[in-house]
Amino acid sequence: MLSNLYLHYVLDLWFEKAIKPRLRGEAHLIRYIDDFIVCFQYRSDAIRFQEVLRKRLNKFKLELEPSKTRLIEFGRFASNHAKARGRKKPETLYFLGFTHYCTRNRKGNFMVGRKTEKQRLKRSIGKVQETMRKIRHRSIEEQVRQINQMLQGHYAYYGMAGNMRWLIKVYQATDFYWRRMLSSRSRKSYVTWKDFQELKTLFPLARPKLFIPYYRMKVYAML
């Protein structure tokens, strides 16, 4: 809480009052606790801001994390510019557990694509598997209740339009591993796929769900 209030003064207010009026084009700051992204219409504004930002943070004994600090081109022209420079695709950015990338919709217009960041995906699957190992000797009803709590929590955070493929990966990994854990409860507890499917009709796993579909994206972001 204190760090959040501190950065509100050090960064948020300073950006709105001192930086934006001096910029050539539009700019937007998106911050969550101590992670933030700043979007600029012009590259020259971004370069100037990066220089003064370091000085501003040093003034308060703060500094940028080098491994997380990058200046990239991102937007509707990024793909064409990347191809002109000999790259197949523009750079991507990682923010709040998502990989954000440039793509196009069915009409061919630019849009921001989002998918679960690889390390976050691996971590989420690992946590579900660890839980299943710990509770494998409990009742089926208790197991499926705890597993579904974790799955629903994952879907609620990562269930954003365009990310269904990665939600399905978590579901499939959970489905496969649960049968494996049920089969390891004793020497005689092997569960065939047929038996497992019948079990899931009585105790179904939570299916992937999008909590923020495309038609609601405009409420949260303006492209």
Side-chain angles (χ1 to χ4, degrees):
M1 178 66 73
L2 289 176
S3 63
N4 196 30
L5 292 173
Y6 194 53
L7 278 177
H8 178 67
Y9 168 74
V10 174
L11 182 61
D12 302 348
L13 294 179
W14 171 70
F15 180 78
E16 289 294 328
K17 303 295 184 180
I19 298 299
K20 288 183 73 172
R22 294 178 170 82
L23 298 177
R24 177 186 170 198
E26 291 187 24
H28 301 278
L29 170 67
I30 305 101
R31 182 176 68 83
Y32 181 75
I33 307 179
D34 60 350
D35 286 335
F36 61 92
I37 293 175
V38 191
C39 308
F40 296 92
Q41 183 178 1
Y42 297 108
R43 181 181 178 84
S44 58
D45 283 341
I47 294 174
R48 287 173 55 203
F49 175 75
Q50 192 173 33
E51 294 173 353
V52 297
L53 175 62
R54 296 182 189 279
K55 296 178 182 179
R56 172 69 174 179
L57 294 179
N58 287 337
K59 183 178 178 181
F60 295 90
K61 307 301 181 182
L62 300 172
E63 60 181 14
L64 296 170
E65 170 58 47
S67 63
K68 295 183 178 180
T69 305
R70 291 190 300 154
L71 177 62
I72 68 170
E73 182 177 13
F74 195 93
R76 65 187 63 194
F77 305 114
S79 295
N80 291 335
H81 293 171
K83 291 178 181 178
R85 299 188 185 101
R87 299 200 310 268
K88 292 183 179 180
K89 297 179 180 180
E91 293 184 77
T92 59
L93 61 92
Y94 308 103
F95 189 57
L96 301 182
F98 286 91
T99 298
H100 302 261
Y101 59 95
C102 300
T103 185
R104 296 186 180 278
N105 60 21
R106 294 179 180 179
K107 295 181 180 181
N109 298 323
F110 167 78
M111 65 177 290
V112 178
R114 299 172 183 84
K115 61 183 181 181
T116 309
E117 196 269 322
K118 288 182 179 180
Q119 291 301 318
R120 291 292 187 96
L121 179 66
K122 184 178 179 181
R123 190 187 310 168
S124 296
I125 292 174
K127 286 183 178 179
V128 176
Q129 290 178 339
E130 181 183 2
T131 297
M132 286 190 286
R133 286 193 297 270
K134 291 179 179 179
I135 66 175
R136 59 180 172 171
H137 292 294
R138 298 183 186 179
S139 68
I140 301 299
E141 184 177 3
E142 174 64 16
Q143 287 187 52
V144 79
R145 185 186 66 81
Q146 289 198 40
I147 294 170
N148 281 341
Q149 281 184 346
M150 298 187 73
L151 287 176
Q152 289 166 351
H154 182 85
Y155 302 153
Y157 186 88
Y158 292 100
M160 192 173 294
N163 198 36
M164 178 58 79
R165 178 182 171 187
W166 281 264
L167 298 184
I168 292 174
K169 284 188 176 184
V170 173
Y171 173 83
Q172 290 176 335
T174 302
D175 183 74
F176 177 84
Y177 202 76
W178 191 32
R179 173 181 170 270
R180 180 178 171 184
M181 288 297 97
L182 291 175
S183 296
S184 68
R185 298 208 290 181
S186 70
R187 294 182 179 180
K188 298 181 180 180
S189 63
Y190 178 76
V191 179
T192 66
W193 278 110
K194 181 180 178 181
D195 292 338
F196 185 56
Q197 295 304 322
E198 292 177 356
L199 175 69
K200 288 195 298 179
T201 60
L202 298 174
F203 303 98
L205 293 176
R207 305 286 299 190
K209 176 183 178 182
L210 292 180
F211 282 77
I212 305 180
Y214 280 115
Y215 72 88
R216 287 180 55 196
M217 294 291 286
K218 294 182 181 179
V219 178
Y220 300 98
M222 180 177 65
L223 302 181

